[in-house]
């Protein structure tokens, strides 16, 4: 083999290695970008669920506050009835 044959072989191996490296890095970057998009979508979904649960919790608190007022009103009425019954006895 002559010197030019070795140079052609080394050049060919070098070009194929460079092409392989570029392909591998491109695939790696594509996969990394895809994973980042998936994580972002998951976090967005968690945030949406958290916001929805916060709204539901606030609604429940409002209803409980309304019921608390009604319970206090009912207790007052029961006390008045008890007094009235004691007076009737």
């Amino acid at each position: 083999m002559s010197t030019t044959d070795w140079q052609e072989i080394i050049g060919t191996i070098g070009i194929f290695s460079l092409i392989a490296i570029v392909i591998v890095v491109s695939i790696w970057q594509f996969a990394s970008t895809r994973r980042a998009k998936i994580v972002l979508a998951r976090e967005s979904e968690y945030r949406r669920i958290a916001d929805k649960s916060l709204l539901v919790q606030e609604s429940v608190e409002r209803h409980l506050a309304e019921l608390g007022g009604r319970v206090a009103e009912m207790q007052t009425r029961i006390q008045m009835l008890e007094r009235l019954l004691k007076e009737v006895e």
Side-chain angles (χ1 to χ4, degrees):
M1 289 187 137
S2 68
T3 308
T4 57
D5 291 339
W6 281 108
Q7 289 174 349
E8 289 177 4
I9 291 172
I10 291 172
T12 305
I13 290 173
I15 289 175
F16 281 127
S17 297
L18 180 64
I19 291 172
I21 289 171
V22 168
I23 290 173
V24 167
V25 168
S26 297
I27 291 172
W28 189 278
Q29 287 298 322
F30 175 75
S32 177
T33 303
R34 187 172 173 98
R35 278 191 304 266
K37 286 180 181 178
I38 290 171
V39 167
L40 184 63
R42 185 182 314 145
E43 288 176 0
S44 174
E45 183 67 18
Y46 285 150
R47 180 170 285 124
R48 187 187 67 78
I49 291 171
D51 290 342
K52 185 176 179 181
S53 67
L54 181 63
L55 291 175
V56 169
Q57 183 178 358
E58 289 172 350
S59 174
V60 167
E61 286 176 354
R62 280 194 304 272
H63 288 301
L64 287 175
E66 290 174 8
L67 287 176
R70 290 181 186 166
V71 167
E73 181 183 332
M74 292 297 285
Q75 286 175 343
T76 304
R77 287 184 181 184
I78 290 173
Q79 289 171 355
M80 290 173 56
L81 284 173
E82 287 175 351
R83 279 189 226 132
L84 181 63
L85 287 174
K86 285 180 184 177
E87 288 177 7
V88 170
E89 288 179 357

